[in-house]
Amino acid sequence: MPIHPFLFGLYPVLYLFLLNAAVLSILDLVVPFLIIIIMGFVIFTLLAIILRDRHKAGLILTLIFLLFFSHQYFVPLKYLINKIFGFEVCRDRYFMPVLFVVFFGVCIWLIKTKYNFKKTTLYLNLAALFFMVEPFYLISTARRPAPRENNNFVEIFQSHFREFLVNAKQPLKRPHIFYIILDEYGGHNALKEIYNLDNSSFLDELRQMGF
């Protein structure tokens, strides 16, 4: 059974939650998880019925999730391509259509090929489970409080979990750096002769202020 589409679809949401766990609640994962699981199940079911192959349906659904969540990761690639050519040759108006062409090309190949993707599904399931180990490990190893009477365990756990992640990501203490640029104001005669600027009123105000 292909479970990798759902795991690959949930991973970006879980990873984004871990990056912002200090200001989020674990309950904030419920809605996006339900949306991904329900939409994924509907798309997977329709593809499996149409293709009569659940392994191909799982691969296409994984590609859909990867295409949807991976746009931000193509930004460094676009920057590198533009830097190589010396101008903005890779824009979204050109880059995204290319991605969609590649996506549909792979989908057409998956539909037409006679290859049995049973082993591929197994490998992708294992890979997806491996990717999910780290985020779930961070959640499971967060410091849990001892049970107490009249306390909300969920709220206590969330509080300690936020504290755990914040302390783990505290920046190293570094010395303050002062970048001082020494400059001087042009003299009255030089400004008058070279730039034809009369700053007498400015200098008079400075003298009145005690400079």
Side-chain angles (χ1 to χ4, degrees), residues 97-112:
V98 172
L99 286 181
F100 279 107
V101 168
V102 173
F103 167 75
F104 285 113
V106 174
C107 289
I108 292 174
W109 175 79
L110 287 173
I111 294 172
K112 290 186 176 182

Side-chain angles (χ1 to χ4, degrees), residues 19-208:
L19 293 179
N20 300 275
V23 295
L24 293 177
S25 165
I26 294 179
L27 299 178
D28 292 328
L29 288 172
V30 174
V31 174
F33 271 30
L34 287 177
I35 293 175
I36 291 174
I37 292 174
I38 294 174
M39 290 185 61
F41 179 78
V42 171
I43 297 174
F44 174 79
T45 303
L46 291 176
L47 289 173
I49 294 174
I50 295 173
L51 301 177
R52 298 181 179 179
D53 189 326
R54 60 184 182 179
H55 301 294
K56 290 183 179 181
L59 288 173
I60 294 176
L61 182 57
T62 293
L63 290 176
I64 292 174
F65 280 135
L66 291 178
L67 183 65
F68 181 79
F69 287 111
S70 62
H71 177 263
Q72 60 176 330
Y73 300 105
F74 287 110
V75 174
L77 176 61
K78 294 190 295 182
Y79 174 79
L80 178 62
I81 294 175
N82 293 336
K83 189 174 182 180
I84 292 175
F85 285 91
F87 60 95
E88 194 174 1
V89 65
C90 192
R91 300 181 179 179
D92 280 342
R93 69 179 68 175
Y94 309 127
F95 193 74
M96 293 307 297
V98 172
L99 286 181
F100 279 107
V101 168
V102 173
F103 167 75
F104 285 113
V106 174
C107 289
I108 292 174
W109 175 79
L110 287 173
I111 294 172
K112 290 186 176 182
T113 184
K114 302 292 185 179
Y115 184 78
N116 188 345
F117 290 98
K118 185 176 181 179
K119 289 186 177 180
T120 305
T121 298
L122 175 62
Y123 296 146
L124 286 176
N125 285 343
L126 294 176
L129 288 172
F130 176 78
F131 276 110
M132 299 296 285
V133 168
E134 180 185 7
F136 278 112
Y137 173 78
L138 290 175
I139 294 177
S140 63
T141 56
R143 183 160 52 92
R144 299 172 184 247
R148 299 176 185 176
E149 295 182 359
N150 300 326
N151 277 340
N152 188 327
F153 175 79
V154 175
E155 294 181 357
I156 296 174
F157 172 71
Q158 290 173 358
S159 175
H160 287 288
F161 178 58
R162 295 191 189 99
E163 180 183 353
F164 166 79
L165 291 178
V166 170
N167 292 335
K169 295 183 179 181
Q170 284 293 334
L172 297 175
K173 291 185 178 180
R174 302 182 185 277
H176 295 290
I177 298 176
F178 298 93
Y179 185 50
I180 302 175
I181 301 177
L182 301 178
D183 198 2
E184 62 179 7
Y185 188 75
H188 173 72
N189 295 332
L191 293 176
K192 182 67 175 177
E193 295 176 1
I194 300 175
Y195 300 103
N196 194 27
L197 175 63
D198 186 4
N199 63 341
S200 300
S201 59
F202 173 67
L203 296 177
D204 292 340
E205 291 180 4
L206 289 177
R207 293 190 187 97
Q208 292 175 6

